[in-house]
Amino acid sequence: AQSVTQPDIHITVSEGASLELRCNYSYGATPYLFWYVQSPGQGLQLLLKYFSGDTLVQGIKGFEAEFKRSQSSFNLRKPSVHWSDAAEYFCAVLRNSGGSNYKLTFGKGTLLTVNP
Amino acid sequence: SAVISQKPSRDICQRGTSLTIQCQVDSQVTMMFWYRQQPGQSLTLIATANQGSEATYESGFVIDKFPISRPNLTFSTLTVSNMSPEDSSIYLCSAISGNTGELFFGEGSRLTVL
């Protein structure tokens, strides 16, 4: 079965510290991978995506993620966290559901708290 | 990038009533989806909205409870029927851009059922 796992439900970091949010996927074919952020009371915003090519992808707001096929992982990183990064982060996999149809499956999310 | 507008953005409804949520995209899209995000939870796919035909529902979701229409490429509706407090959620519309292949989300419709 295809699935997306975010092992960390809640992470707390200090402002200025580095951040890594973990994401593992289970999918038989080449995945299309995404990270979304959802601030309190807000909609979803795409941070970055991986379709193919360079396995280190750069996103908005200083985020990056690295696709590691051998580990079935797509971890999100940021070298220095800002207080405004406090939000819920979702990893997602776009998978082919037959023919030209695709479905996006989300992980359960990781809540990031940033301490001053 | 595509802009997705949903309305209502929020509503408070009585048990047993039904509410229809509208989703309008400002550009051509290929696929449209409806998701539910229950309080403190992740997003769960309800169904794929198919143009001119019945939606494709995920396990656990049925047409009688969540009828969906998609009369054209850029518009879809989701109805939450015979609501109960368990239906209190954010309902999100999403679409894949026909130009870029990217997936976009509306800001969601926050539904509270009393």
Side-chain angles (χ1 to χ4, degrees):
Chain A
Q2 296 90 353
S3 67
V4 183
T5 302
Q6 292 180 245
D8 304 305
I9 297 174
H10 188 190
I11 284 182
T12 300
V13 299
S14 299
E15 191 168 16
S18 63
L19 171 71
E20 182 170 35
L21 302 182
R22 295 183 291 165
C23 174
N24 294 96
Y25 66 90
S26 170
Y27 183 51
T30 301
Y32 296 158
L33 297 159
F34 303 79
W35 274 99
Y36 286 88
V37 60
Q38 187 177 39
S39 298
Q42 302 294 313
L44 283 167
Q45 183 179 25
L46 178 66
L47 285 176
L48 48 77
K49 62 184 184 291
Y50 171 78
F51 284 177
S52 64
D54 192 347
T55 56
L56 183 63
V57 294
Q58 303 296 322
I60 62 171
K61 303 184 178 185
F63 285 93
E64 66 177 26
E66 185 171 12
F67 169 59
K68 293 185 177 180
R69 184 185 299 276
S70 62
Q71 299 177 19
S72 297
S73 69
F74 188 57
N75 295 346
L76 182 71
R77 301 193 295 251
K78 186 169 184 178
S80 178
V81 171
H82 188 262
W83 64 267
S84 61
D85 293 324
E88 185 100 28
Y89 291 80
F90 294 98
C91 180
V93 173
L94 186 68
R95 57 184 174 90
N96 184 275
S97 58
S100 59
N101 297 320
Y102 289 81
K103 294 180 182 178
L104 192 67
T105 301
F106 285 84
K108 293 188 180 298
T110 298
L111 179 64
L112 174 66
T113 298
V114 180
N115 289 333
Chain B
S1 62
V3 174
I4 301 179
S5 302
Q6 278 185 242
K7 57 181 181 181
S9 58
R10 59 180 63 231
D11 206 342
I12 300 173
C13 302
Q14 296 297 318
R15 181 195 298 262
T17 62
S18 299
L19 178 74
T20 296
I21 303 167
Q22 298 181 1
C23 175
Q24 178 72 57
V25 190
D26 70 344
S27 58
Q28 292 293 322
V29 294
T30 54
M31 301 183 73
M32 293 183 75
F33 308 91
W34 286 97
Y35 284 84
R36 179 174 74 181
Q37 186 178 24
Q38 294 177 300
Q41 302 292 317
S42 184
L43 285 80
T44 301
L45 180 63
I46 298 173
T48 302
N50 301 310
Q51 185 196 0
S53 64
E54 189 173 296
T56 305
Y57 290 84
E58 296 298 300
S59 175
F61 297 96
V62 295
I63 187 171
D64 290 346
K65 177 65 176 178
F66 297 102
I68 289 171
S69 77
R70 188 181 174 191
N72 58 54
L73 282 174
T74 61
F75 183 78
S76 178
T77 66
L78 168 73
T79 299
V80 186
S81 304
N82 188 24
M83 289 183 285
S84 67
E86 292 72 32
D87 295 320
S88 297
S89 288
I90 299 174
Y91 292 86
L92 296 105
C93 173
S94 70
I96 296 179
S97 168
N99 295 325
T100 66
E102 293 194 28
L103 185 70
F104 298 94
F105 283 85
E107 294 202 347
S109 299
R110 184 182 294 272
L111 176 61
T112 301
V113 184
L114 303 178

